[in-house]
Amino acid sequence: MAEENDLERTEPASPRRLEQAREDGQVARSQELGAFAVMATAAMAVWLLGGHLLSGFTGLVRDGLTLPAGAAFEADRMLLRLGSQGASGFLVIAPVLLAAFVAAMAAPMLLNGWLFSVKPLQPDFSRLNPLKGIGRIFSVTGLVELFKAIAKVTVVGGVAALVLSMSLDAVLSLAAEPASSALAHATRLAGWTLILVICGMLLVVAVDVPFQLWKHARKLRMSRDELKREHKESEGAPQIKARIRSLPREAARRRMMAEVPKADVVITNPTHYAVALSYKEGSMRAPRVVAKGQNLVAARIRELAAEHRVPVLDAPPLARALHRHAEIGDEIPEALYTAVAEVLAWVFQLRQASGRHVPLPPTDVRVPPGMDPQEGKLQ
């Protein structure tokens, strides 16, 4: 089943999948890079601080051998002296240890940058399953790790053995040299051996780092179904997105419809357009459009106007011109002041008239040329 899943996962990991894996602490790791960084940094520190280390350890040996006769038989004094010598030795080697610690912390950042995640620290009891452990040992990954370890030992051990074999005569001649020169000669031999071993480790790192990056990318590969599912989850289903986009429109439409009962007049086409106007003398410079719509929305505006006894005037050119040139909440265009004033005058007469003397609505409300979007067309 796992092999089938691997065969299906042919697509590179998406940015979201990579980010989630990073948050879970799943990143490419190279133990060889860390070991190389620690060894190379420690060797460089020893090289640069050789004089300090030599003088420090020389002083430790001298102080350790300078011991009063009576102190050798007193356990308390010997324990105190041992603690003091140990603390002094740690202070001597502390710069090298600090450099190695910094290298060990910085090496993973070369592959993954700064990463802090507590999820890898959480207990995973499935790892205690012996069957899974045996499966990991005899898996393809386990075999690759075995061959990699053999190759590392072969390369590093081979380099060290080659250097020692080439320097065998120099090593044997150290016994015939004075102590001071033998120590200096041995230090140089050890230093060059260490440098060549580090170069051999660099070769191992050059192979292991690309392999770990490829292995990590292969582990996070996705199938086409997973990519589609992730895209749908991140972007949302088309129906859900359409519903989300419609919510603001519906809210705005409800607010608009709530203004229709407060309007002074509704001008219609009579069926295709409806525009509701409101004018408060003294607080408005010009009448404002409080609602407008076409077809079904226009029909709903007319229904609300009838329910709340808002005057409705059938003036197709004016209704079309207002719908085209004025947005909800805007004042009407100045070019339509005269036509709208004629309508509002009729509304004012309606309010002042008694039931027996109802003024006739204006029947020929004209708009300036160019304001009616259907001017010149068949109506």
Side-chain angles (χ1 to χ4, degrees):
M1 192 69 179
E3 293 179 358
E4 292 179 1
N5 291 336
D6 289 340
L7 293 175
E8 293 176 357
R9 294 177 178 175
T10 58
E11 305 300 320
S14 65
R16 184 184 178 190
R17 177 71 174 270
L18 293 174
E19 185 64 26
Q20 288 178 341
R22 184 176 177 85
E23 291 175 357
D24 294 340
Q26 298 180 17
V27 293
R29 294 184 176 90
S30 173
Q31 296 180 354
E32 313 307 332
L33 178 61
F36 168 77
V38 170
M39 180 174 287
T41 303
M44 183 64 66
V46 171
W47 187 284
L48 296 176
L49 300 175
H52 166 74
L53 296 175
L54 180 61
S55 62
F57 284 118
T58 300
L60 283 175
V61 173
R62 184 183 299 109
D63 293 342
L65 297 177
T66 305
L67 183 69
F73 301 97
E74 298 181 13
D76 293 340
R77 292 181 63 182
M78 290 300 295
L79 287 175
L80 290 175
R81 191 173 183 84
L82 178 62
S84 176
Q85 290 291 97
S88 299
F90 177 78
L91 291 177
V92 172
I93 200 67
V96 178
L97 296 178
L98 179 60
F101 174 77
V102 173
M105 296 296 292
M109 297 177 63
L110 296 176
L111 284 180
N112 309 297
W114 170 255
L115 174 64
F116 178 78
S117 176
V118 297
K119 289 188 177 181
L121 301 179
Q122 296 176 357
D124 185 4
F125 297 103
S126 64
R127 294 180 176 272
L128 300 179
N129 189 337
L131 296 179
K132 289 186 177 181
I134 295 174
R136 287 194 294 268
I137 293 175
F138 293 99
S139 64
V140 176
T141 302
L143 293 177
V144 171
E145 293 296 328
L146 175 62
F147 284 119
K148 189 175 67 174
I150 295 175
K152 180 174 65 174
V153 171
T154 302
V155 171
V156 176
V159 170
L162 178 63
V163 173
L164 290 177
S165 63
M166 294 177 60
S167 306
L168 183 60
D169 294 338
V171 173
L172 295 176
S173 65
L174 293 177
E177 298 182 16
S180 57
S181 62
L183 181 61
H185 194 187
T187 302
R188 286 195 297 271
L189 289 175
W192 282 109
T193 302
L194 182 60
I195 290 174
L196 293 176
V197 169
I198 291 174
C199 292
M201 288 191 64
L202 181 60
L203 178 61
V204 175
V205 170
V207 175
D208 184 63
V209 169
F211 171 74
Q212 294 299 334
L213 292 174
W214 172 82
K215 177 183 174 183
H216 178 67
R218 186 175 183 274
K219 180 181 179 181
L220 296 180
R221 283 189 310 186
M222 305 173 66
S223 65
R224 293 183 180 273
D225 291 339
E226 288 175 329
L227 284 174
K228 292 178 181 178
R229 192 181 313 117
E230 180 186 279
H231 180 75
K232 184 177 293 186
E233 291 175 355
S234 61
E235 298 295 333
Q239 299 85 350
I240 297 176
K241 290 195 295 182
R243 177 58 180 164
I244 292 174
R245 287 196 299 266
S246 68
L247 290 177
R249 294 197 298 266
E250 292 180 1
R253 184 175 300 172
R254 285 194 296 269
R255 290 193 299 268
M256 180 186 74
M257 292 302 183
E259 296 296 323
V260 174
K262 307 174 187 178
D264 292 311
V265 65
V266 173
I267 305 172
T268 64
N269 190 27
T271 57
H272 299 300
Y273 294 91
V275 180
L277 300 180
S278 178
Y279 178 64
K280 301 296 184 291
E281 189 174 359
S283 61
M284 292 184 182
R285 190 177 67 90
R288 293 181 182 274
V289 175
V290 296
K292 70 174 186 176
Q294 293 178 266
N295 302 323
L296 294 177
V297 177
R300 182 56 182 161
I301 292 175
R302 291 195 302 272
E303 291 175 4
L304 288 173
E307 291 175 7
H308 296 85
R309 296 184 178 181
V310 176
V312 178
L313 176 65
D314 181 16
L318 180 58
R320 294 192 294 263
L322 287 170
H323 189 276
R324 168 62 67 88
H325 300 289
E327 297 298 329
I328 298 174
D330 292 347
E331 294 180 352
I332 65 171
E334 293 185 6
L336 300 177
Y337 277 5
T338 302
V340 173
E342 184 178 353
V343 174
L344 292 178
W346 168 69
V347 172
F348 179 76
Q349 293 174 11
L350 279 178
R351 293 175 181 174
Q352 299 298 324
S354 62
R356 296 180 180 179
H357 302 284
V358 178
L360 296 176
T363 57
D364 189 18
V365 180
R366 298 182 178 276
V367 299
M371 297 298 291
D372 183 358
Q374 294 188 15
E375 185 178 0
K377 297 180 181 179
L378 293 176
Q379 300 190 15

